[in-house]
């Protein structure tokens, strides 16, 4: 083997070894490129969504009164009471019994008609509505715990980062990362 070939081979081997050492040194000296995620907890907020709920209910109402002052009952009661009073006694007693029977019968007839009117009811179906709130949880962010080397940290993020968070060239977290399709 000639001397120049030997020198060339040695110089080539030295150059390759030096290049590999420099590449390894730059990778080792660069540090980690990702922070390791150790825990992700969703931050939830309660959302109230109002909605209207309606149902049909049966309602009992009093029928409209045609004779508010119960005149018909008073008149019929007075006539019946007067006739009954007229059957009692004789002379002035008969007249007094007739008047008392008419007054008592009129009052009784009035009250009987009043009671009948109060019991005269009808039922109808009515729709009644009210507002209820449906409660649900919405994720509004994430509390993320991470480590960079042996240093731990925590950050709030708007998305779940997965198992790692990329770092910039200064070793700081890159939090704003475009998602596919954005």
């Amino acid at each position: 083997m000639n001397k120049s070939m030997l020198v060339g081979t040695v110089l080539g081997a030295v150059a390759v070894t030096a290049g590999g050492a420099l590449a390894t040194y730059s990778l080792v000296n660069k540090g980690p490129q990702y922070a390791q995620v150790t825990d992700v907890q969703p931050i939830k907020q309660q959302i109230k969504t109002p909605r209207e709920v309606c149902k049909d209910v049966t309602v009992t109402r009093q029928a409209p009164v045609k004779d508010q002052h119960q005149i018909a009952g008073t008149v019929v009661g007075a006539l019946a009471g007067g006739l009954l009073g007229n059957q009692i006694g004789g002379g002035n007693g008969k007249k007094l019994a007739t008047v008392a029977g008419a007054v008592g019968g009129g009052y009784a007839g009035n009250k009987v008609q009043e009671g009948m009117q109060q019991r005269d009811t009808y039922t109808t179906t009515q729709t009644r509505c009210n507002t209820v709130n449906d409660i649900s949880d919405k994720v509004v962010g994430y509390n993320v715990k991470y480590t960079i080397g042996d240093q731990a940290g925590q950050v709030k993020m708007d998305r779940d980062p997965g198992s790692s968070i990329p770092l910039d060239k200064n070793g700081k977290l890159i939090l704003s990362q475009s998602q596919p399709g954005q």
Side-chain angles (χ1 to χ4, degrees), residues 3 8 13 21 30 32 38 57 59 70-71 78 88 94 116 128 136 141 143 146 148-149 154 159 168 170:
K3 188 175 182 183
K30 200 171 191 182
T38 58
V57 294
V59 178
Q70 295 90 18
I71 293 173
I88 300 171
K94 190 174 205 163
M116 288 173 64
R128 292 195 179 158
S136 60
N143 282 323
Y146 63 90
I148 301 173
Q154 182 172 334
R159 61 181 174 78
D168 66 11
N170 298 321

Side-chain angles (χ1 to χ4, degrees), residues 58-62 121-124:
T58 303
V59 178
T60 302
R61 298 187 184 267
Q62 187 173 353
T121 59
Y122 67 96
T123 59
T124 184

